[in-house]
Amino acid sequence: MDLSTSSALVTGANRGFGRALAAELLSRGATVYAGARNPDHVDLPGAKPIALDITDPASVAAAAEAIGDVNLLINNAGSSTGADLLAADLDDIRLEMDTHYFGTLSVVRGFAPKIAAGGGGAILNILSGLSWVSFPELGAYSAAKSAEWSLTNALRLQLADQGIRVSALHVGYMDTDMVRSVDAEKSDPADIARIAVDGIAAGAYEILADSAARRAQAALAGGVSVLYPQLP
């Protein structure tokens, strides 16, 4: 994919990894629409701020109407409530699913027809190593990311005939506000953004951005005993 002639929408682009993705695309010559619930918070020179709350269908429809032709959609906007599946408020658990699953699906439904009408392009969903392995303290987030992974696989098959390549980025912890309280090794978002955009340019279906994602994928083949060795 020639990114220098691409027109891209990045959701959740006002900070963190979304901002790093938008900056990387701009550095390669792409036109970038930076989606954010409050577009006034987008401070990236060269980006075109656009109001977008992915959990609000009316907001998604308005953004699709406002934006011109796009051939690249990056579904980055996310949430992390830290909700425990057994003890947390159900509203927090629903928020994770509304954001990562229904929100991502809503944006794809809104923009895939525009990408197809323009001759095709690409969609990248930002997933996680936690799409493949779950921790109790992040049970709701992991469940939502697993659902988004399944959604990605289904859309990949459905949209291929329309000239749209659907990719997924799997990554461990990045040094962003979302995981500022986590004491673990974290990647630089700018480094992961370069890996992600390289993957888009190469047409990769699945982009494993770090060792944590690669370990999680490899553990799947070992079954429950490998994924969760702490079980009796």
Side-chain angles (χ1 to χ4, degrees):
M1 187 172 188
D2 183 0
L3 295 170
S4 68
T5 61
S6 292
S7 180
L9 167 63
V10 180
T11 69
N14 55 301
R15 63 192 179 106
F17 187 51
R19 190 181 189 281
L21 284 166
E24 181 64 25
L25 288 166
L26 285 167
S27 75
R28 302 194 191 200
T31 298
V32 178
Y33 293 93
R37 283 178 293 182
N38 186 342
D40 291 339
H41 290 170
V42 175
D43 63 353
L44 184 61
K48 301 177 184 294
I50 186 80
L52 178 57
D53 178 349
I54 70 168
T55 65
D56 179 358
S59 176
V60 173
E65 180 68 24
I67 294 176
D69 292 340
V70 294
N71 64 349
L72 172 60
L73 166 63
I74 300 185
N75 288 304
N76 164 77
S79 61
S80 182
T81 63
D84 176 306
L85 290 173
L86 296 180
D89 191 307
L90 281 174
D91 285 344
D92 286 339
I93 297 171
R94 289 191 184 97
L95 175 61
E96 298 285 18
M97 198 64 72
D98 284 344
T99 304
H100 298 287
Y101 182 80
F102 290 109
T104 296
L105 178 58
S106 179
V107 177
V108 171
R109 287 165 63 114
F111 283 89
K114 297 172 75 73
I115 298 173
I123 295 172
L124 175 66
N125 292 336
I126 306 304
L127 302 182
S128 170
L130 295 176
S131 307
W132 294 324
V133 61
S134 299
F135 300 117
E137 63 272 20
L138 292 169
Y141 179 87
S142 296
K145 281 299 184 184
S146 292
E148 190 180 1
W149 177 44
S150 182
L151 173 153
T152 300
N153 288 329
L155 293 175
R156 180 177 290 144
L157 295 170
Q158 278 192 275
L159 293 174
D161 288 345
Q162 299 180 40
I164 302 175
R165 183 174 289 257
V166 180
S167 304
L169 174 78
H170 294 271
V171 62
Y173 293 121
M174 289 182 284
D175 192 10
T176 65
D177 288 344
M178 183 177 285
V179 294
R180 60 183 176 274
S181 63
V182 175
D183 183 16
E185 183 179 352
K186 301 173 187 176
S187 299
D188 184 334
D191 291 338
I192 303 301
R194 282 192 292 273
I195 292 169
V197 175
D198 283 344
I200 295 169
Y205 280 120
E206 205 154 55
I207 304 163
L208 304 183
D210 60 7
S211 59
R214 290 188 287 273
R215 286 195 303 270
Q217 186 194 55
L220 288 174
V224 172
S225 63
V226 174
L227 285 167
Y228 307 107
Q230 68 270 37
L231 289 173

